[in-house]
Amino acid sequence: MTTPSTIDTARALLADASHIEVFTGAGMSADSGIATYRDAQTGLWENVDPQDMASIDAWHDDPDTMFAWYLWRAHLARQAEPNAGHVAIARCPKTTVTTQNIDNLHERAGSKEVVHLHGSLFEFRCSLCDEAFGEPIALPTAPVEAITPPSCPVCGGPVRPGVVWFGEALPQDEWNEAERRMSTADALVIVGTSGVVYPAAGLPLMAHAREIPIIEVTPMRTELSHLADVVIEDTAANALPSLLG
Ligand code: ZN
């Protein structure tokens, strides 16, 4: 349980900050009932290993199955709602967000400055020439086995989900912006990330090296907890309205 004094101590550390960077991971969306890989594995997808759905090699082998799987996950993400934590971040005018999540719950809560380090379920691009694909893509409302991806209007290549797969580099512009924020923010709030997925997990180290206040919100201590001045052992939806409100 979070004691009032823990929250008060954390609030005091943020009081003088004019720019608070909020760094979020899967725990941020957990309170929204966002479907994880595991939750998506019902019925049709029961025997699918998510690891098999997250590499460029798998894409080359069977793009239609992978496209159907990612559109289904986008559908599940769209069904989830931003939780009180997303809303608290969006309402606090001092915050910008760097997230490892591929859902769009921060944006739907109203946050404007969101960096997506691992891409987005709602963005698509050409798998050959990288051109962004701007046309609307209909999401299935029931799982289907295969959906043929649209063709790139520039080169005709298959359009792929705009998410980062295993072994792929993080998007350069997003990474640069995340680094810039870690180098300039007055305080850092880490929410719901295990701190084990690199290179993203290295970003809080940059903030820590500058000795700015760091608050962590997590139900259980993580690999990043030793960097934090205050660890609020609670969920995002419970803790963030008190911390940022
Ligand atoms: Zn193309």
Side-chain angles (χ1 to χ4, degrees), residues 39-79:
D39 298 325
Q41 283 177 274
T42 53
L44 180 63
W45 301 115
E46 213 163 5
N47 298 314
V48 167
D49 181 349
Q51 303 262 341
D52 293 341
M53 292 287 182
S55 75
I56 193 69
D57 290 340
W59 174 257
H60 289 321
D61 288 346
D62 189 0
D64 292 11
T65 299
M66 260 171 82
F67 204 62
W69 156 260
Y70 276 96
L71 293 191
W72 175 240
R73 292 194 61 209
H75 164 73
L76 295 175
R78 196 174 55 175
Q79 283 193 315

Side-chain angles (χ1 to χ4, degrees), residues 30-231:
D31 294 336
S32 290
I34 193 82
T36 63
Y37 280 119
R38 193 178 301 278
D39 298 325
Q41 283 177 274
T42 53
L44 180 63
W45 301 115
E46 213 163 5
N47 298 314
V48 167
D49 181 349
Q51 303 262 341
D52 293 341
M53 292 287 182
S55 75
I56 193 69
D57 290 340
W59 174 257
H60 289 321
D61 288 346
D62 189 0
D64 292 11
T65 299
M66 260 171 82
F67 204 62
W69 156 260
Y70 276 96
L71 293 191
W72 175 240
R73 292 194 61 209
H75 164 73
L76 295 175
R78 196 174 55 175
Q79 283 193 315
E81 293 295 334
N83 62 56
H86 292 105
V87 172
I89 293 167
R91 285 186 181 161
C92 175
K94 298 175 172 182
T95 64
T96 55
V97 177
T98 296
T99 187
Q100 297 162 87
N101 298 335
I102 57 177
D103 61 61
N104 59 3
L105 293 172
H106 283 298
E107 288 91 339
R108 283 166 58 200
S111 286
K112 300 277 187 280
E113 307 283 339
V114 184
V115 165
H116 280 273
L117 288 174
H118 294 158
S120 165
L121 284 168
F122 301 95
E123 284 172 17
F124 300 87
R125 69 173 189 273
C126 177
S127 59
L128 296 184
C129 76
D130 263 356
E131 183 79 8
F133 185 75
E135 293 171 34
I137 291 181
L139 302 182
T141 52
V144 289
E145 248 171 80
I147 297 175
T148 301
S151 298
C152 169
V154 177
C155 77
V159 167
R160 59 165 278 179
V163 300
V164 176
W165 287 328
F166 295 117
E168 293 186 319
L170 304 194
Q172 191 64 48
D173 290 351
E174 280 78 0
W175 178 260
N176 291 345
E177 175 61 13
E179 279 196 330
R180 193 191 66 77
R181 292 178 183 181
M182 295 297 163
S183 310
T184 55
D186 303 315
L188 175 65
V189 177
I190 303 170
V191 185
T193 177
S194 59
V196 295
V197 179
Y198 280 84
L203 288 167
L205 287 170
M206 297 180 59
H208 185 251
R210 295 175 47 235
E211 301 182 351
I212 61 173
I214 298 180
I215 316 293
E216 186 185 35
V217 175
T218 176
M220 289 191 303
R221 294 182 71 88
T222 72
E223 296 291 315
L224 299 174
S225 296
H226 69 283
L227 301 178
D229 299 290
V230 177
V231 178

